Amino acid sequence: MGENIVLMSKRELEKMRRVGRLAAKLLAHLGKMVKPGITTYELNEEAERWTRAHGARSAPLGYGNPPFPASICTSVNEVICHGIPSKDQVLKEGDIINIDVTPVLDGYHGDTSKTFFVGTPSPTAKKLVEVTRECLYRGIRAVKPGARIGDIGAAIQEYAESHGFSVVRTFVGHGIGRVFHAPPQIPHYGKRGTGRILRPGMVFTIEPMINEGTWEAEIAEDGWTAYTKDRKLSAQFEHTVAVTEDGVEILTLNDDEDPNVILQR
Ligand code: MF3
Ligand code: CO
Ligand code: CO
């Protein structure tokens, strides 16, 4: 049988809403700093400062083995995910950068990420990023009680591949709450009608990583940084969502995102 999936109470969901809003605000704040000339180290420093100033802590710092050495992930161009901020990494015109934040407030995690343009993107980068954002939205639209986990991945995979892009297999969405990475796994590929049935109170992330070329990943010597095998571009967007009685609630919604636009079926 499947692993135990936590169903959240109203009280717990309220805590997830609070940390979700905080995560979205942090991500928007960091996004405004993205410009040619800034280092990923400076983004990380500001993330840590802002998170503490808001009474939260950064889940990534010290997470896993080897312990992740920073407060956010900054994944530039051919980095799929888990990029480590560095003083040596200066953003330049035309780069794309995914910033992934996970503050913890009152014991609950809010996990969200977005890919930003540094200056003006190439047509390919622009297309990849737009398709990846729509992949996330289509994945979210597949969420409702009675649907299955495979419905989410199928919606994402069909859209990505119809644009000639590929879906990363190595990393998946995940249950989240008191724990950063909990069951169930949410693959961003798959078959409709397969996998666990979604129930009200389930809370998980959807975080498609979509590649320009091959879906295959390669992990660097540092134990974290994941590159595309062919060193072509990769983009990612992530939201934390809750299954409700009649559909889905996006817990990490940004001010510039209209839920009615995202959720229209
Ligand atoms: N935030 C990432 C995710 O979406 C996980 C980062 S793990 C870290 O699941 F240690 F690199 F922070
Ligand atoms: Co996540
Ligand atoms: Co994340």
Side-chain angles (χ1 to χ4, degrees):
M1 287 272 87
E3 297 170 287
N4 275 334
I5 300 174
V6 169
L7 298 181
M8 285 201 192
S9 65
K10 291 227 147 58
R11 207 187 104 264
E12 284 183 291
L13 276 173
E14 198 41 59
K15 293 188 180 192
M16 288 302 294
R17 284 189 191 101
R18 280 186 58 211
V19 70
R21 277 194 293 266
L22 190 77
K25 279 186 74 178
L26 170 59
L27 187 57
H29 175 64
L30 298 175
K32 283 188 209 115
M33 295 172 66
V34 170
K35 284 187 184 74
I38 195 169
T39 64
T40 51
Y41 183 88
E42 291 170 280
L43 293 170
N44 182 68
E45 293 272 280
E46 178 57 13
E48 182 60 26
R49 189 203 65 73
W50 193 99
T51 300
R52 286 170 184 270
H54 288 77
R57 74 174 175 89
S58 307
L61 191 59
Y63 181 82
N65 193 17
F68 191 76
S71 302
I72 57 173
C73 300
T74 51
S75 304
V76 178
N77 297 337
E78 69 277 12
V79 175
I80 295 171
C81 64
H82 301 165
I84 301 171
S86 158
K87 284 184 178 169
D88 303 327
Q89 188 169 41
V90 183
L91 296 184
K92 55 180 201 311
E93 175 73 31
D95 284 345
I96 59 172
I97 177 176
N98 175 278
I99 303 179
D100 192 336
V101 303
T102 312
V104 188
L105 187 68
D106 202 8
Y108 288 81
H109 293 70
D111 192 2
T112 184
S113 87
K114 188 169 172 173
T115 300
F116 299 94
F117 299 124
V118 184
T120 309
S122 70
T124 305
K126 186 160 184 280
K127 183 78 196 168
L128 178 67
V129 169
E130 278 166 6
V131 166
T132 306
R133 183 191 289 109
E134 180 62 20
C135 281
L136 170 59
Y137 292 169
R138 288 183 180 228
I140 293 172
R141 267 175 234 153
V143 176
K144 59 184 170 204
R148 288 176 180 267
I149 286 179
D151 300 348
I152 301 171
I156 292 169
Q157 183 175 15
E158 276 168 17
Y159 190 72
E161 291 180 354
S162 77
H163 289 273
F165 297 135
S166 69
V167 177
V168 171
R169 314 290 207 257
T170 317
F171 306 97
V172 295
H174 50 92
I176 186 166
R178 285 200 164 277
V179 175
F180 194 171
H181 295 104
Q185 297 201 137
I186 310 289
H188 305 108
Y189 54 92
K191 266 193 151 78
R192 282 201 177 73
T194 67
R196 302 273 305 255
I197 297 175
L198 303 180
R199 310 276 183 207
M202 285 185 185
V203 178
F204 51 81
T205 72
I206 305 177
E207 48 182 297
M209 287 143 275
I210 306 299
N211 293 353
E212 178 191 354
T214 180
W215 56 265
E216 288 170 287
E218 221 170 69
I219 313 289
E221 293 277 311
D222 60 27
W224 281 103
T225 314
Y227 291 90
T228 57
K229 205 167 183 186
D230 56 13
R231 299 300 190 265
K232 291 188 178 179
L233 294 175
S234 182
Q236 181 178 23
F237 286 80
E238 173 174 28
H239 272 313
T240 299
V241 305
V243 183
T244 61
E245 294 295 332
D246 54 3
V248 61
E249 178 179 349
I250 304 167
L251 300 170
T252 47
L253 200 69
N254 203 272
D255 285 342
D256 67 7
E257 288 176 314
D258 181 345
N260 298 316
V261 172
I262 296 175
L263 297 178
Q264 73 191 355
R265 281 158 220 257

